[in-house]
Amino acid sequence: MEANVSRTLIGKSLVIRGEVTGLEAMHIDGRVEGSVALPGQTITVGRSGQTAAMLISSKIVVLGQVRGNCQASDHLDIRSEGSMSGDAIVSRISIADGAFVKGNIDVRRS
């Protein structure tokens, strides 16, 4: 990530319910329920992060737990310690050995 890009951190003790929209990247270490739409940005679900939400962004990185659908216009990256239960619409996807994925994956070429 470039140094001049703003980034929001949702800390471990925070719970957010509702609709989150914006134009900056987000790192989730707490819990988010609802939807997160950050077009052109990166959403990172940290190791302690949990989402029960629809995630929409350019890039999504999963190290924690995602329950809900994901739309990544560029890349969905599910790391070895990450889990995702939900459907995904992506341009590119990488799933590390040891990651848990349950749902449909629709890879669309631009």
Side-chain angles (χ1 to χ4, degrees):
M1 181 183 306
E2 296 179 20
N4 61 352
V5 175
S6 296
R7 181 169 141 171
T8 298
L9 172 64
I10 307 298
K12 291 180 182 182
S13 67
L14 293 177
V15 177
I16 301 208
R17 291 184 180 96
E19 181 179 323
V20 178
T21 60
L23 298 174
E24 59 187 62
M26 179 178 285
H27 186 101
I28 301 168
D29 276 330
R31 182 167 177 78
V32 176
E33 300 173 0
S35 67
V36 179
L38 305 173
Q41 298 300 324
T42 299
I43 298 172
T44 302
V45 179
R47 285 183 175 84
S48 62
Q50 298 178 13
T51 66
M54 171 73 159
L55 303 179
I56 302 169
S57 71
S58 177
K59 182 176 181 183
I60 300 171
V61 179
V62 179
L63 296 106
Q65 298 177 353
V66 172
R67 285 184 314 140
N69 297 337
C70 295
Q71 291 183 12
S73 59
D74 181 32
H75 187 221
L76 172 60
D77 183 8
I78 306 170
R79 306 281 174 86
S80 61
E81 57 274 18
S83 69
M84 186 186 112
S85 296
D87 297 338
I89 299 173
V90 299
S91 292
R92 297 180 303 135
I93 187 168
S94 57
I95 303 171
D97 187 29
F100 174 83
V101 178
K102 181 178 181 180
N104 296 314
I105 299 171
D106 185 358
V107 179
R108 298 182 179 176
R109 296 187 188 264
S110 47

